[in-house]
Amino acid sequence: MKKRSFSGIQPTGDIHIGNYLAAIKQWVASQAEYDNIFCIVDLHAITIPQDPKILKAKIREVSGLLFAAGIDPKLSAVFVQSQVGAHAELAWILNCFIPMGWMQRMTQFKEKSKELKEQVSVGLFDYPALMSADILLYDTEVVPVGEDQKQHVELSRDLAQRFNSIYGPTFHLPKAVIPEVGARIMGLDDPTKKMSKSEDNPGHAINLLDSPDEIRAKIKRATTDSRREIRFDEKRPGIHNLLVIYEIFSGLSRAEIEASYQGKGYAQLKKDLGEVVVEGLKPLQSRYQELTAEAGHIDSLLAEAAARVRPLAEKTLARVKSRVGLG
Ligand code: TYM
């Protein structure tokens, strides 16, 4: 029996290379090793205001990008969260077992609510409960994510343990799997900030559907320091971030990269990086165009996957309801 791997992605903003390098690329690479379920988390998306038409379009776009990146619908189920009712239902039950203190410690909520202040939704605060429901419904063992989701996955593990200690074995204990390199890709405009889908500055992120010229221009404008030496050094976040992106896209080792840039400047590195990223995204971009040209294809893959995972989710939900004494 293969281990169950579950992960999710929000259908909001534009999917960027941070999402790709830390999450999607891992999902593709480990498809044969695990029994995979990937979820387009539209219920999480509405924790902040969304335009209904754009949200619907983004669900198709993100799904299309996952398939274009190499997710094989025969090996992995890619489905839309709101199409499986058990997610919202289990989230409610889990809410009743999560101490407020655990939720108040979540750093992502603290950061996101800083801007929204009093307007922040209860849903955004409750985000980790829904995420725990996503994970725990499928007897998940591994959760491949970027570093920013580690705390949420740990909460789901603590919650599973807490529930099991009250009611006896009910949930598997999930574990976050975070890549060694690229777990936290930083913004090009400000390398002290994580690359994010919700940032407005057009120079902030490289999106998977950016044109070659946009990619080159964004990298050219990327913020660096005023030194010259090209070396992997976390204390120099701008150049370090560019080098990490180069390392993953090129497949070269750190030593090879540093050696090949001895005596060369940032302008050369940026020029080469632009080409490496353009070439690296080309196959994905052309597969995306092919996939989306076929009307209804993506929707039918999503519906098939939802039908496939729904019984798994319902089985776990029934187990939980019976443990708690509901119904
Ligand atoms: P989301 O949509 O923000 O991001 C999707 C994945 O991309 C990773 N990521 C990054 N990795 C490296 N550098 C970055 N700058 C960067 N930005 C994003 C994220 O860590 C994530 O792996 N809460 C989740 C979605 C979710 C989920 C789940 C994930 C809902 N339910 C259950 C796992 C399991 C989120 O908002 O991801």
Side-chain angles (χ1 to χ4, degrees):
M1 280 272 281
K2 287 180 181 173
K3 282 187 184 172
R4 167 69 39 74
S5 170
F6 181 98
S7 201
I9 186 162
Q10 289 200 61
T12 50
D14 290 319
I15 304 299
H16 53 66
I17 59 166
N19 304 125
Y20 177 65
L21 298 177
I24 302 171
K25 206 163 174 284
Q26 300 202 65
W27 303 353
V28 173
S30 61
Q31 270 184 115
E33 184 184 349
Y34 296 119
D35 181 2
N36 311 284
I37 303 179
F38 301 120
C39 187
I40 314 295
V41 295
D42 55 348
L43 294 172
H44 278 110
I46 61 163
T47 55
I48 50 174
Q50 303 293 337
D51 176 309
K53 280 209 191 77
I54 297 178
L55 179 59
K56 254 198 171 340
K58 283 285 166 189
I59 292 170
R60 266 86 208 154
E61 182 183 298
V62 177
S63 321
L65 282 169
L66 296 188
F67 295 124
I71 298 289
D72 177 348
K74 290 193 208 76
L75 294 173
S76 306
V78 176
F79 77 104
V80 181
Q81 190 183 33
S82 64
Q83 291 183 5
V84 178
H87 289 249
E89 199 172 341
L90 180 61
W92 175 257
I93 299 172
L94 295 178
N95 269 325
C96 303
F97 293 87
I98 307 176
M100 280 291 279
W102 289 13
M103 297 287 256
Q104 279 160 341
R105 280 200 288 276
M106 294 295 112
T107 54
Q108 196 161 73
F109 175 75
K110 284 187 207 162
E111 276 165 31
K112 287 198 180 178
S113 58
K114 249 188 237 155
E115 291 162 31
L116 296 163
K117 300 205 175 77
E118 290 288 291
Q119 289 308 310
V120 70
S121 71
V122 175
L124 191 69
F125 180 69
D126 201 33
Y127 187 110
L130 180 57
M131 190 162 153
S132 297
D134 299 341
I135 295 170
L136 300 179
L137 274 174
Y138 299 98
D139 297 333
T140 303
E141 291 185 63
V142 295
V143 187
V145 284
E147 197 190 72
D148 62 338
Q149 297 302 318
K150 187 167 176 238
Q151 196 186 29
H152 291 158
V153 180
E154 281 168 358
L155 183 139
S156 72
R157 186 183 173 90
D158 291 345
L159 178 59
Q161 250 161 349
R162 182 182 171 90
F163 194 97
N164 290 352
S165 73
I166 302 172
Y167 294 107
T170 308
F171 295 123
H172 276 67
L173 301 187
K175 194 170 173 300
V177 177
I178 294 166
E180 273 172 35
V181 180
R184 192 174 175 82
I185 300 293
M186 310 308 280
L188 297 185
D189 55 341
D190 178 357
T192 61
K193 268 184 163 173
K194 184 189 76 170
M195 189 176 280
S196 151
K197 292 193 214 107
S198 49
E199 210 47 65
D200 289 334
N201 182 351
H204 172 76
I206 299 174
N207 302 319
L208 297 191
L209 292 175
D210 278 350
S211 71
D213 283 345
E214 280 171 319
I215 295 172
R216 292 186 188 106
K218 284 178 179 180
I219 293 176
K220 197 169 169 199
R221 284 200 309 270
T223 303
T224 49
D225 51 48
S226 53
R227 295 173 55 180
R228 270 194 66 85
E229 196 192 357
I230 295 180
R231 210 160 40 78
F232 283 85
D233 177 358
E234 286 184 28
K235 289 192 216 80
R236 294 160 59 196
I239 202 70
H240 187 263
N241 191 39
L242 296 183
L243 285 169
V244 166
I245 299 170
Y246 192 98
E247 180 185 3
I248 310 178
F249 272 103
S250 70
L252 295 170
S253 73
R254 293 191 171 194
E256 283 170 324
I257 295 170
E258 288 181 345
S260 73
Y261 282 99
Q262 258 190 10
K264 294 184 188 157
Y266 291 176
Q268 184 66 47
L269 172 69
K270 285 179 166 182
K271 193 161 172 286
D272 297 345
L273 178 60
E275 296 317 311
V276 168
V277 176
V278 165
E279 285 308 311
L281 293 181
K282 217 182 235 169
L284 179 155
Q285 294 186 342
S286 61
R287 274 201 298 274
Y288 179 79
Q289 299 310 338
E290 285 163 24
L291 271 166
T292 46
E294 212 182 310
H297 180 53
I298 290 177
D299 279 355
S300 67
L301 290 176
L302 292 173
E304 272 166 35
R308 186 139 55 94
V309 302
R310 198 173 287 117
L312 305 174
E314 280 171 359
K315 194 169 158 208
T316 309
L317 182 63
R319 187 163 75 224
V320 172
K321 287 168 93 169
S322 117
R323 295 271 201 278
V324 177
L326 296 172

Coordinates of all heavy atoms in Angstrom, one line a residue, residues 6-10 16 18-19 22-23 27 41 44 81 108 112 127 130-131 134-135 143-149 152-153 182-186 194-197, ligand 1:
F6 N -1.4 14.3 0.5 CA -2.5 15.2 0.2 C -1.9 16.6 0.3 O -1.1 17.0 1.2 CB -3.6 15.1 1.3 CG -4.8 16.1 1.1 CD1 -5.9 15.7 0.4 CD2 -4.7 17.4 1.5 CE1 -7.0 16.6 0.2 CE2 -5.7 18.3 1.2 CZ -6.8 17.9 0.6
S7 N -2.3 17.5 -0.7 CA -1.9 18.9 -0.5 C -3.0 19.8 -1.2 O -3.9 19.2 -1.9 CB -0.5 19.1 -1.1 OG 0.0 20.3 -0.6
G8 N -2.9 21.1 -1.0 CA -3.9 22.0 -1.6 C -3.2 23.3 -2.1 O -2.1 23.6 -1.7
I9 N -4.0 23.9 -2.9 CA -3.6 25.2 -3.5 C -4.8 26.1 -3.6 O -5.9 25.6 -4.0 CB -2.8 25.0 -4.8 CG1 -2.2 26.4 -5.3 CG2 -3.6 24.4 -5.9 CD1 -1.0 26.2 -6.3
Q10 N -4.6 27.4 -3.3 CA -5.8 28.3 -3.4 C -5.9 28.9 -4.9 O -4.9 29.3 -5.5 CB -5.5 29.5 -2.5 CG -5.6 29.2 -1.1 CD -5.9 30.5 -0.3 OE1 -6.9 31.2 -0.5 NE2 -5.0 30.8 0.6
H16 N 2.6 31.4 -8.9 CA 3.9 31.9 -9.2 C 5.0 30.8 -9.0 O 4.6 29.6 -8.6 CB 4.2 33.1 -8.3 CG 4.0 32.9 -6.9 ND1 4.7 32.0 -6.1 CD2 3.0 33.4 -6.0 CE1 4.3 32.0 -4.9 NE2 3.3 32.8 -4.8
G18 N 7.1 30.4 -6.7 CA 7.2 29.9 -5.4 C 6.3 28.7 -5.2 O 6.7 27.7 -4.7
N19 N 5.0 28.8 -5.6 CA 4.1 27.7 -5.6 C 4.6 26.5 -6.3 O 4.5 25.4 -5.9 CB 2.7 28.1 -6.2 CG 2.1 29.3 -5.6 OD1 1.7 30.3 -6.2 ND2 1.9 29.3 -4.2
A22 N 8.2 25.0 -4.7 CA 8.1 24.3 -3.4 C 7.0 23.2 -3.4 O 7.2 22.2 -2.8 CB 7.8 25.3 -2.3
A23 N 5.9 23.5 -4.1 CA 4.8 22.5 -4.0 C 4.6 21.7 -5.2 O 4.8 20.5 -5.3 CB 3.6 23.3 -3.6
W27 N 5.0 17.7 -6.0 CA 3.8 16.8 -6.2 C 4.0 16.0 -7.5 O 3.7 14.8 -7.5 CB 2.5 17.6 -6.4 CG 2.2 18.6 -5.3 CD1 2.8 18.7 -4.1 CD2 1.2 19.6 -5.3 NE1 2.2 19.6 -3.3 CE2 1.2 20.2 -4.0 CE3 0.2 20.0 -6.2 CZ2 0.3 21.2 -3.7 CZ3 -0.7 21.0 -5.8 CH2 -0.6 21.6 -4.6
V41 N -8.5 24.6 -3.3 CA -9.2 25.0 -2.1 C -10.0 26.3 -2.3 O -9.7 27.3 -1.7 CB -8.3 25.0 -0.9 CG1 -7.8 23.6 -0.6 CG2 -7.1 25.9 -1.0
H44 N -11.3 27.9 1.0 CA -10.2 28.7 1.6 C -10.1 30.1 0.9 O -9.9 31.1 1.6 CB -8.9 28.0 1.6 CG -8.7 27.0 2.7 ND1 -8.6 25.7 2.4 CD2 -8.5 27.2 4.0 CE1 -8.4 25.0 3.6 NE2 -8.4 25.9 4.6
Q81 N -12.4 21.6 -3.8 CA -12.8 21.4 -2.3 C -14.4 21.5 -2.1 O -15.0 20.6 -1.5 CB -12.1 22.5 -1.5 CG -12.2 22.3 0.0 CD -11.5 23.5 0.6 OE1 -11.5 24.6 0.0 NE2 -10.8 23.3 1.7
Q108 N 0.5 33.0 10.1 CA -0.1 33.5 8.8 C -1.3 34.4 9.1 O -1.5 35.4 8.4 CB -0.4 32.3 7.9 CG -0.6 32.8 6.5 CD -0.5 31.7 5.5 OE1 -1.4 30.8 5.4 NE2 0.6 31.7 4.7
K112 N -1.7 38.2 7.8 CA -2.8 38.6 6.9 C -3.8 39.5 7.5 O -4.4 40.4 6.9 CB -3.6 37.3 6.4 CG -2.7 36.5 5.4 CD -3.6 35.6 4.6 CE -2.8 34.8 3.6 NZ -3.6 33.8 2.9
Y127 N -9.3 29.4 9.2 CA -8.6 28.7 8.0 C -7.9 27.4 8.4 O -8.1 26.4 7.7 CB -7.6 29.8 7.5 CG -6.9 29.5 6.3 CD1 -7.2 30.2 5.1 CD2 -5.9 28.5 6.2 CE1 -6.5 30.0 3.9 CE2 -5.2 28.3 5.0 CZ -5.5 29.0 3.9 OH -4.8 28.8 2.8
L130 N -10.3 24.3 8.6 CA -10.7 23.8 7.3 C -9.5 23.0 6.7 O -9.7 21.9 6.1 CB -11.2 24.9 6.4 CG -11.7 24.5 5.0 CD1 -12.8 23.5 5.1 CD2 -12.1 25.8 4.3
M131 N -8.3 23.5 6.9 CA -7.2 22.9 6.3 C -6.9 21.5 7.0 O -6.6 20.5 6.4 CB -6.0 23.8 6.5 CG -4.8 23.3 5.7 SD -3.6 24.7 5.5 CE -2.1 23.6 5.4
D134 N -9.4 19.1 5.5 CA -8.9 18.6 4.2 C -7.9 17.5 4.4 O -8.0 16.4 3.8 CB -8.0 19.7 3.5 CG -8.8 21.0 3.2 OD1 -10.1 20.9 3.2 OD2 -8.2 22.1 3.0
I135 N -7.0 17.7 5.3 CA -5.9 16.7 5.5 C -6.4 15.4 6.1 O -6.1 14.3 5.7 CB -4.7 17.3 6.3 CG1 -4.1 18.5 5.5 CG2 -3.7 16.3 6.7 CD1 -3.2 19.3 6.4
V143 N 2.2 15.6 3.7 CA 1.6 16.8 3.2 C 2.7 17.6 2.6 O 3.4 18.3 3.3 CB 0.9 17.6 4.3 CG1 0.1 18.8 3.7 CG2 -0.1 16.7 5.1
P144 N 2.9 17.5 1.2 CA 4.0 18.3 0.6 C 3.7 19.7 0.4 O 2.7 20.1 -0.3 CB 4.2 17.6 -0.7 CG 3.0 16.8 -1.0 CD 2.3 16.6 0.3
V145 N 4.4 20.6 1.1 CA 4.0 22.1 1.1 C 5.3 22.9 1.2 O 6.4 22.4 1.5 CB 3.2 22.5 2.3 CG1 1.7 22.0 2.1 CG2 3.7 21.9 3.6
G146 N 5.2 24.2 0.9 CA 6.2 25.1 1.2 C 6.3 25.4 2.7 O 5.4 25.0 3.5
E147 N 7.3 26.1 3.1 CA 7.6 26.3 4.5 C 6.5 27.1 5.3 O 6.2 26.8 6.4 CB 8.9 27.1 4.7 CG 9.5 27.0 6.1 CD 10.6 28.0 6.1 OE1 10.4 29.2 6.2 OE2 11.8 27.5 6.1
D148 N 5.8 28.0 4.5 CA 4.8 28.8 5.2 C 3.6 28.0 5.7 O 2.8 28.5 6.5 CB 4.3 29.9 4.2 CG 3.7 29.4 2.9 OD1 3.9 28.2 2.6 OD2 2.9 30.1 2.3
Q149 N 3.4 26.8 5.2 CA 2.3 26.0 5.6 C 2.6 25.0 6.8 O 1.7 24.3 7.2 CB 1.7 25.2 4.4 CG 1.1 26.1 3.4 CD 0.0 27.0 3.9 OE1 -0.8 26.6 4.7 NE2 0.1 28.3 3.5
H152 N 0.6 25.2 10.0 CA -0.8 24.7 9.8 C -0.9 23.2 9.8 O -1.8 22.6 10.4 CB -1.4 25.2 8.5 CG -1.7 26.7 8.5 ND1 -1.8 27.4 7.3 CD2 -1.8 27.6 9.5 CE1 -2.0 28.7 7.6 NE2 -2.0 28.8 8.9
V153 N 0.1 22.6 9.2 CA 0.1 21.1 9.1 C 0.4 20.6 10.5 O -0.2 19.6 11.0 CB 1.1 20.6 8.1 CG1 1.2 19.0 8.1 CG2 0.9 21.1 6.7
G182 N 14.3 25.8 -1.8 CA 13.2 26.5 -2.5 C 11.9 26.4 -1.7 O 10.8 26.7 -2.2
A183 N 12.0 26.1 -0.4 CA 10.8 26.0 0.5 C 10.2 27.4 0.8 O 9.1 27.5 1.2 CB 11.2 25.3 1.8
R184 N 11.0 28.4 0.5 CA 10.5 29.8 0.7 C 11.2 30.7 -0.3 O 12.3 31.2 -0.1 CB 10.9 30.2 2.2 CG 10.2 31.5 2.6 CD 10.6 31.7 4.1 NE 10.0 33.0 4.5 CZ 8.7 33.1 4.9 NH1 7.9 32.1 5.0 NH2 8.3 34.3 5.3
I185 N 10.5 30.9 -1.4 CA 11.0 31.8 -2.5 C 10.5 33.2 -2.1 O 9.4 33.4 -1.7 CB 10.4 31.3 -3.9 CG1 10.8 29.9 -4.2 CG2 10.8 32.3 -5.0 CD1 12.3 29.7 -4.5
M186 N 11.4 34.1 -2.3 CA 11.1 35.5 -1.8 C 10.7 36.4 -3.0 O 11.0 36.1 -4.1 CB 12.4 36.1 -1.1 CG 13.0 35.2 -0.1 SD 11.8 34.6 1.2 CE 11.7 36.0 2.2
K194 N 8.1 37.0 1.6 CA 7.8 35.8 0.9 C 7.1 36.1 -0.5 O 6.3 37.1 -0.5 CB 6.9 34.9 1.7 CG 6.5 33.6 1.2 CD 5.4 33.0 2.0 CE 4.1 33.6 1.8 NZ 3.0 32.9 2.4
M195 N 7.4 35.5 -1.6 CA 6.7 35.7 -2.8 C 5.3 35.3 -2.6 O 5.0 34.2 -2.1 CB 7.3 34.8 -3.9 CG 6.8 35.2 -5.3 SD 7.6 34.3 -6.6 CE 9.1 35.2 -6.9
S196 N 4.3 36.1 -2.9 CA 2.9 35.9 -2.6 C 2.0 36.2 -3.8 O 2.3 37.1 -4.5 CB 2.6 36.7 -1.4 OG 1.3 37.1 -1.3
K197 N 0.9 35.5 -3.8 CA -0.1 35.7 -4.9 C -0.9 37.0 -4.7 O -1.4 37.5 -5.7 CB -1.1 34.5 -4.9 CG -0.6 33.2 -5.3 CD -1.8 32.3 -5.5 CE -1.5 30.8 -5.1 NZ -2.3 30.4 -3.9
Ligands
TYM1 P1 -1.2 28.5 -1.2 O1 -2.2 28.5 -2.3 O2 -0.9 29.8 -0.6 O3 0.2 27.9 -1.8 C1 0.3 26.7 -2.4 C2 1.6 26.0 -2.1 O4 2.7 26.9 -2.5 C3 3.5 27.1 -1.3 N1 4.1 28.5 -1.4 C4 5.4 28.8 -1.4 N2 6.5 28.0 -1.4 C5 7.7 28.6 -1.5 N3 7.8 30.0 -1.5 C6 6.8 30.8 -1.6 N4 6.9 32.1 -1.7 C7 5.5 30.2 -1.5 N5 4.2 30.7 -1.5 C8 3.4 29.6 -1.5 C9 2.7 26.9 -0.1 O5 3.4 26.5 1.0 C10 1.8 25.8 -0.6 O6 2.4 24.5 -0.4 N6 -3.2 26.8 2.9 C11 -2.7 26.4 1.7 C12 -3.6 25.5 0.9 C13 -4.2 24.3 1.6 C14 -3.5 23.1 1.9 C15 -4.5 22.3 2.5 C16 -2.2 22.7 1.8 C17 -5.5 24.2 2.0 N7 -5.7 23.0 2.5 C18 -4.2 21.0 3.0 C19 -1.9 21.4 2.2 C20 -2.9 20.6 2.9 C21 -2.4 27.6 0.9 O7 -2.9 28.6 1.1 O8 -1.5 27.4 -0.1

